[in-house]
Amino acid sequence: MFSDQKSFQETFKKRLEQSYSISFDDSTRAQQFVTLSQMVREHISSEWIETNERQRQEKKQTYYLSIEFLLGRLLGQNLINLGLYETIQSWLDDIDIPLEELEDIEPDAGLGNGGLGRLAACFLDSLASMGLPGHGCGIRYKHGLFEQKMVNGFQMELPENWLRYGYVWEVRKSDLTVEVPFWGSVDVVEREDGVKFRHVDAEYVKAVPYDMPVVGYGGKTVNTLRLWSAETSSFSLNQDVLKYKKDTEAISEFLYPDDSNDEGKILRLKQQYFLVSASIRSIIQRHLSNGGELRSLHERIAIHINDTHPVLAIPELMRVLMDDYQLSWDDAWHVTENTFAYTNHTTLSEALERWPIRIFRPLLPRIYMIIQEINERFCKSLWDQYPGDWDRIERMAIIAKDEVRMAHLAIAGSHSVNGVARLHTEILKNREMNEFYQFQPAKFNNKTNGITHRRWLLKANPELTSLLSETIGEGFKTDATELSKLALYVEDPAFLEKLSRVKRKRKDILTKLIYERNGIKVDPTSIFDVQVKRLHAYKRQLLNVLHILALYNKVKHEPSFHMPPRTFIFGAKASPGYFYAKRIIKLIDSVAELVNNDPETKGLITVVFMENYRVSLAEYIIPAADISEQISTASKEASGTGNMKFMMNGAVTVGTLDGANVEILEQTGPDNIFIFGLKAEEVMAFDRDGGYRSMDYYHHDPLIRRTLDQLVDGTLDDKGLFGVIYESLLSENDQYFVLKDFEAYRSAQEAAGRIYEKNPQQWRKMMVKNISGSGIFSSDRTIKEYASEIWKI
Ligand SMILES: *Cc1c(COP(=O)(O)O)cnc(C)c1O
C-alpha cells in the first residue's frame, strides 16, 4: 500500500471512490483525510499484532491508568513515527492534495484538561518509541474538553464532538467487554474455610473497550491505548429503564472540565471506579491468558496511577484477588502494594480528592469495606511506629472525618510515590506529605516531567527539525540528549542566521493564522511574547495582563519611555464554573481592545487572545514564540510542561523559580533565562504567616496604582466587570502575590526586551542555549527513569 507512488495513488483513489461512491475529482478533503487515515491504520495493524505477540513473552509490562489522555491529532504524528511523512506528502502533492490540509481536518482527541492529560499522551509516545511494553487505560468520553467560543470577550462553552464523523484510529473490541457493578450490598457468608463476601443486587454497567494503536518512532513497536465506553448491560434488571440508560451512558459522556470542581460528585466517582474496575479485570484476564500466576502478578505487571483519580484500582485489585480468586488478605496485599506506583501532581489543597463516606459507601459497598480494612491495618502500623500519637494517626488516616482521602490511600497502597519536578518533590517530602515521608521515606522519589520531542519538535516544527538535522545529524530524533551538540554552534554566525530565519518562518505562519482567526494584523518582527496554558489564578495570567496595561500607561504618560514592539499572545480555557478565571479572560480581551486600537500604542503593543487553546493550536503557537511566560506563584506549579515545549523550540523563558523552571535554569545557565520574583520558600513562609500587605504596593507604587485604578474607573468597561479582580488584589490581600512580584516581573521583561532589540545576536545565542539544553526534558528521559527505577521493565 505504501511501497511505491503508483500503487499508493491507485489504492488511495480506488478506496475513496468505493467508500464514498464519488469520483476522485469530486472528493472532499474530509473524505480524503478519512481514507488516508484508514490506510495508515491498516498499515499499522500487522506491527500492532506482532507487538502484542512479542509482548506475551516479555518479563514485565506496564499499564498507565489515567482519567485523561490529551492526544491531539494523530495522522501527522503517526506518519512521522512510521517514517512515511515526507513520502506521503510528496505522493499526495503529486495529485494536488496538500497533506497539511488533510491534517487540519482531524479533530483533536481532547480527552484531557491540560498538563496532566498531555503528560499521559507524551508518556505513551515515549514508551512505544523506546520499544517498552507500556499501555494506557482511560475513558472514551463522548465529549472531550469543551470547545471555547469567545463572544464579546466572554468565554462560552460548547460541547466538543470529536466522534462526530466516526473516529478512524479506534477499534471496538466488543468481545472483551466487562461488567462493572455499582450500588447494591455486600453479602457475608460464613463458610468452613472462612468468611466470604459477595456484592449482590448491584446495578451493572457494561464497559466496552476501544483500542487505539500507539505507534512508536521507527514503527517497530505499536502499543495500545485502551479507552472504555459505558453501555447498558443486560445483566441489570431495572425498574426504570430510561433512567438506567441515561445514568449509564452519562459515565462516559463528558470529561470533567475541572480537576477541582465539586459538582456531580457521584458521577465523577462512578467514572473513576468504571475506569479502574474495567482496566484491572482486563489486565488480569490478559495476565492469566499468558499463563501468568496471580501470586506473582507484581513480577509481571506494574500499574501506574496518574494522580489520585484512578486510585480505586488499589482496593479493586484487592477485591478481585480475594473475592474472585480466593487469595488471603496478606497475599493479596503483598501483590497489590508491589504492583502499584503513584504520581502526585499538585500541592494545591483544593485539588486533593476526598470523598464523603455518605456518597462513597452506597455506590461502592465492597470497595468501601476493603478500604476500611486497609485503613485499619495502616493505622495499626502507624500506632506501632508512633504509639499514643493519636493526632498524627488521625492526620494520616485513609478514612477520617467522614471522608475517604484518596491521596492517603494512594500512598498506603503503592510502593512508589513520586513528584513531578525536583522542587515539587522536595515540597511533598518536607511539607505536604512530610508525615508520610517520615514514616516511609524509601517510597518517595522524583521523576521530573518531560515532553515527547517527536511531537513538540519533529511534528510541530519541521523547519527547526531540518536545520538541526543538517547541523548535528539525525541522532537527536531518537536520543534527544544529542541536542547538546548544538552548543558547539553558539558562536557560528551562519548557524545563528539560519536559526533566526527558521524562527521568522514560524512567526510568519502564526501571523497568518492570527489574521485568519482574529482578524488582527500582527508584526512578525515584533517580540512574540506567549502565555498559553489553562487559566488559573496561580498561573498568574493576571500578572501578565496588568503588566501590559502598565506598559500602555508608560507609553502614554512617560515621553521618554521606549520599548521594542511586542505582540502578547494568550491562549487559555477557564473551567466553566471558575468565575474569577473567566473574568480574567474578559480582562485580557478588554485590554486588547484598548491597546490594539489606541493610535499611540498601535503597532507597538498588540494583544491577541487565541480562542480554543488545545494541542493542535499549541503546535502552531509554540514554535513561533520568542518569550515563554512561566510566571506561576513560586511553589504552586508542580512542574509545568509547556515551559519545556517552548525551550525546545528556542523561546527564552521569563519565569519564576517554580516547578521545572528550576531545572530549566540549570540547563540554560542564568544568562539565558529571565528569572524573577519570590522564591518558593518565601511564598510558603508568607502563606504560613498569613500573607503580606498588598495595599502598601498600591500606595507606594504610582504605576501599580494607576494601572489598578483602571480596572474600576471606566477605562476598560463601565459595568464594573473587573471590580472582583481589583478586590482580590487589594481588600483580599493578593493571595498569589501579583503585586509583590510586579516590579521584579516588569524589570525582567524590560531586560528581555532590551537584549532582543539591542543585541539580536546575543538573543540568538540564548535561543541556541535553550534548544541545546532541552534534551533532558524529552519524556524519553522521564520514561527511562520510571522504567528502571519504578516499574522495573
Ligand atoms: C502542554 C500543554 C499544557 C500544559 O501547559 P502548562 O504550561 O505546563 O500548564 C496544557 N494544554 C495543552 C494543550 C498543552 O499542550
Side-chain angles (χ1 to χ4, degrees):
M1 197 151 53
F2 294 103
S3 52
D4 66 280
Q5 176 164 346
K6 191 157 160 290
S7 76
F8 167 77
Q9 290 172 344
E10 276 172 9
T11 314
F12 180 68
K13 287 182 180 179
K14 194 164 132 211
R15 291 182 57 138
L16 248 176
E17 297 185 346
Q18 286 177 346
S19 318
Y20 296 99
S21 302
I22 43 155
S23 75
F24 169 68
D25 293 332
D26 292 336
S27 63
T28 64
R29 292 281 185 254
Q31 292 165 338
Q32 294 161 2
F33 159 73
V34 171
T35 304
L36 176 65
S37 301
Q38 281 169 345
M39 287 169 69
V40 173
R41 196 178 60 68
E42 284 168 33
H43 178 74
I44 291 165
S45 59
S46 55
E47 290 297 343
W48 200 2
I49 295 167
E50 227 164 89
T51 299
N52 240 309
E53 286 306 313
R54 195 167 65 235
Q55 289 181 351
R56 284 180 186 279
Q57 328 298 325
E58 287 280 355
K59 277 190 60 162
K60 197 171 181 188
Q61 315 213 12
T62 290
Y63 293 88
Y64 195 82
L65 268 53
S66 180
I67 203 93
E68 302 187 12
F69 285 92
L70 193 52
L71 300 168
R73 293 172 174 158
L74 297 183
L75 174 60
Q77 190 67 58
N78 283 343
L79 285 172
I80 287 176
N81 284 9
L82 291 166
L84 286 171
Y85 190 90
E86 276 144 27
T87 311
I88 299 298
Q89 189 176 34
S90 81
W91 291 350
L92 286 173
D93 219 33
D94 188 60
I95 46 177
D96 291 325
I97 299 176
L99 176 54
E100 302 77 38
E101 278 187 31
L102 301 195
E103 288 179 64
D104 272 334
I105 303 261
E106 183 170 353
D108 276 48
L111 309 181
N113 278 289
L116 179 145
R118 184 55 229 175
L119 185 77
C122 284
F123 280 4
L124 292 183
D125 182 82
S126 284
L127 280 162
S129 294
M130 294 193 295
L132 291 166
H135 310 279
C137 301
I139 295 177
R140 181 180 179 270
Y141 306 101
K142 193 166 156 206
H143 305 285
L145 187 60
F146 67 86
E147 190 184 319
Q148 179 189 55
K149 261 237 138 12
M150 297 298 291
V151 180
N152 289 328
F154 290 100
Q155 165 179 300
M156 299 286 151
E157 300 95 30
L158 301 178
E160 184 279 343
N161 209 355
W162 66 299
L163 299 171
R164 189 166 20 198
Y165 305 117
Y167 191 65
V168 291
W169 303 108
E170 67 185 8
V171 185
R172 183 182 162 99
K173 297 268 173 79
S174 318
D175 54 318
L176 300 178
T177 291
V178 297
E179 301 280 343
V180 179
F182 293 102
W183 310 111
S185 57
V186 178
D187 209 10
V188 185
V189 197
E190 306 257 4
R191 297 196 322 201
E192 261 167 40
D193 57 346
V195 185
K196 295 285 161 205
F197 300 91
R198 272 191 324 136
H199 190 169
V200 294
D201 299 327
E203 180 172 290
Y204 284 91
V205 170
K206 202 155 83 171
V208 183
Y210 286 72
D211 284 358
M212 283 165 64
V214 181
V215 183
Y217 191 74
K220 286 280 162 283
T221 295
V222 182
N223 288 332
T224 301
L225 169 58
R226 176 161 288 178
L227 299 178
W228 298 96
S229 178
E231 297 182 8
T232 53
S233 162
S234 50
F235 279 84
S236 264
L237 296 172
N238 240 282
Q239 303 292 320
D240 189 343
V241 177
L242 282 178
K243 180 175 182 306
Y244 166 64
K245 186 170 186 309
K246 192 167 137 277
D247 287 353
T248 298
E249 286 167 1
I251 294 173
S252 55
E253 184 88 3
F254 286 101
L255 165 78
Y256 260 75
D258 192 356
D259 346 48
S260 53
N261 185 314
D262 256 16
E263 256 143 59
K265 275 193 187 313
I266 292 184
L267 182 55
R268 173 83 172 176
L269 187 56
K270 269 187 174 175
Q271 287 185 325
Q272 298 187 352
Y273 184 64
F274 175 77
L275 164 65
V276 304
S277 176
S279 303
I280 290 292
R281 251 111 36 88
S282 98
I283 291 166
I284 286 186
Q285 272 168 19
R286 191 180 148 98
H287 174 71
L288 293 177
S289 78
N290 286 348
E293 267 266 353
L294 284 179
R295 270 164 219 285
S296 53
L297 184 81
H298 55 286
E299 289 164 19
R300 305 288 306 271
I301 285 175
I303 303 178
H304 205 88
I305 43 191
N306 192 26
D307 213 322
T308 53
H309 321 120
V311 90
L312 296 181
I314 290 168
E316 175 67 1
L317 180 60
M318 288 296 288
R319 187 191 68 76
V320 173
L321 292 177
M322 294 186 305
D323 295 358
D324 297 352
Y325 295 97
Q326 285 76 50
L327 264 64
S328 69
W329 180 280
D330 289 334
D331 288 346
W333 186 250
H334 177 74
V335 169
T336 299
E337 207 183 8
N338 286 294
T339 299
F340 286 104
Y342 155 64
T343 296
N344 173 283
H345 284 268
T346 182
T347 56
L348 299 183
S349 56
E350 70 265 25
L352 284 179
E353 286 195 297
R354 284 185 282 260
W355 294 104
I357 292 172
R358 76 187 143 75
I359 288 180
F360 195 109
R361 193 196 208 88
L363 185 68
L364 304 167
R366 178 62 181 136
I367 294 300
Y368 183 74
M369 275 178 89
I370 292 171
I371 296 174
Q372 274 184 314
E373 182 69 27
I374 294 173
N375 183 47
E376 254 170 53
R377 290 170 187 245
F378 181 64
C379 289
K380 198 127 142 256
S381 66
L382 289 172
W383 180 263
D384 293 341
Q385 181 91 4
Y386 309 107
D389 196 346
W390 286 108
D391 288 345
R392 181 191 295 253
I393 294 171
E394 170 152 25
R395 284 193 301 273
M396 295 177 73
I398 297 164
I399 300 176
K401 304 198 166 132
D402 302 323
E403 287 180 328
V404 183
R405 299 162 170 172
M406 303 288 262
H408 297 193
L409 177 58
I411 300 170
S414 303
H415 66 277
S416 163
V417 176
N418 75 282
V420 289
R422 199 196 310 136
L423 174 65
H424 169 61
T425 302
E426 288 308 308
I427 292 175
L428 287 182
K429 292 199 298 196
N430 300 328
R431 293 177 162 274
E432 309 301 323
M433 296 183 168
N434 176 255
E435 290 182 320
F436 290 91
Y437 175 61
Q438 287 177 30
F439 180 54
Q440 294 172 317
K443 275 190 184 178
F444 286 77
N445 63 93
N446 176 246
K447 298 286 169 280
T448 299
N449 280 169
I451 54 165
T452 171
H453 61 287
R454 264 118 5 212
R455 182 171 291 262
W456 299 107
L457 180 55
L458 310 205
K459 170 75 189 73
N461 201 341
E463 294 81 3
L464 181 56
T465 302
S466 309
L467 175 60
L468 294 173
S469 303
E470 75 183 52
T471 310
I472 56 171
E474 309 256 341
F476 71 95
K477 295 181 177 178
T478 44
D479 176 3
T481 62
E482 287 200 14
L483 288 170
S484 64
K485 290 183 179 173
L486 208 62
L488 296 172
Y489 295 84
V490 72
E491 299 293 342
D492 178 341
F495 174 75
L496 295 178
E497 179 56 34
K498 287 186 206 160
L499 182 61
S500 99
R501 252 182 282 159
V502 164
K503 183 57 85 181
R504 178 55 197 270
K505 174 81 200 297
R506 293 309 312 189
K507 288 170 79 173
D508 286 341
I509 293 171
L510 184 60
T511 297
K512 186 162 159 279
L513 191 73
I514 290 173
Y515 186 66
E516 285 166 15
R517 302 266 169 98
N518 296 55
I520 299 174
K521 285 202 161 117
V522 305
D523 172 6
T525 67
S526 65
I527 300 173
F528 278 19
D529 181 329
V530 183
Q531 187 171 22
V532 287
K533 48 182 75 239
R534 282 302 293 263
L535 212 138
H536 207 292
Y538 84 80
K539 290 177 183 279
R540 294 202 295 192
Q541 282 93 351
L542 181 56
L543 177 57
N544 189 345
V545 71
L546 288 178
H547 172 244
I548 298 170
L549 196 52
L551 288 176
Y552 171 81
N553 288 323
K554 285 169 90 76
V555 172
K556 299 217 26 123
H557 301 289
E558 290 177 25
S560 65
F561 179 68
H562 170 82
M563 64 174 277
R566 270 201 206 223
T567 301
F568 294 91
I569 298 166
F570 291 88
K573 288 179 182 174
S575 200
Y578 190 173
F579 173 80
Y580 185 74
K582 291 173 104 169
R583 202 39 64 83
I584 289 171
I585 290 182
K586 176 63 181 169
L587 177 61
I588 296 170
D589 180 79
S590 298
V591 170
E593 277 294 310
L594 180 71
V595 305
N596 293 354
N597 298 309
D598 188 315
E600 280 183 82
T601 46
K602 205 174 169 68
L604 191 59
I605 310 176
T606 310
V607 179
V608 177
F609 186 92
M610 297 197 79
E611 190 175 76
N612 203 27
Y613 182 60
R614 61 199 186 283
V615 171
S616 58
L617 189 56
E619 290 172 35
Y620 280 107
I621 296 175
I622 291 170
D626 295 308
I627 289 179
S628 159
E629 298 267 2
Q630 307 301 337
I631 59 178
S632 54
T633 307
S635 80
K636 307 289 182 199
E637 185 78 88
S639 163
T641 48
N643 46 5
M644 302 166 183
K645 302 167 194 167
F646 281 99
M647 178 194 192
M648 196 173 271
N649 281 279
V652 179
T653 303
V654 171
T656 46
L657 276 179
D658 198 16
N661 296 354
V662 176
E663 290 156 76
I664 288 178
L665 164 66
E666 276 174 15
Q667 295 303 313
T668 62
D671 294 339
N672 302 295
I673 187 167
F674 297 92
I675 295 291
F676 72 94
L678 291 172
K679 314 259 186 300
E681 278 300 327
E682 295 168 326
V683 168
M684 291 188 294
F686 276 120
D687 280 349
R688 215 176 23 234
D689 306 338
Y692 82 110
R693 287 168 50 87
S694 60
M695 205 49 114
D696 293 350
Y697 287 74
Y698 176 83
H699 286 307
H700 296 148
D701 184 333
L703 183 62
I704 288 183
R705 190 163 61 244
R706 179 194 289 274
T707 304
L708 290 197
D709 284 345
Q710 286 170 334
L711 295 176
V712 289
D713 70 2
T715 306
L716 295 165
D717 86 307
D718 46 21
K719 297 185 210 65
L721 285 176
F722 305 122
V724 281
I725 296 173
Y726 184 84
E727 295 300 326
S728 74
L729 293 172
L730 296 175
S731 54
E732 288 157 38
N733 230 8
D734 187 15
Q735 206 192 330
Y736 293 98
F737 304 90
V738 172
L739 303 187
K740 193 151 186 62
D741 272 346
F742 187 84
E743 178 49 29
Y745 177 60
R746 197 203 54 72
S747 147
Q749 282 285 37
E750 189 176 72
R754 200 176 316 115
I755 295 177
Y756 190 92
E757 184 181 34
K758 302 280 195 278
N759 199 343
Q761 204 65 349
Q762 188 189 340
W763 188 270
R764 290 168 190 164
K765 290 178 191 174
M766 294 172 81
M767 292 169 68
V768 177
K769 287 292 197 173
N770 272 274
I771 302 168
S772 68
S774 70
I776 194 170
F777 299 111
S778 166
S779 45
D780 291 0
R781 186 267 313 150
T782 316
I783 285 295
K784 246 179 237 155
E785 293 174 2
Y786 276 95
S788 71
E789 294 161 28
I790 299 178
W791 303 329
K792 317 280 191 227
I793 54 169

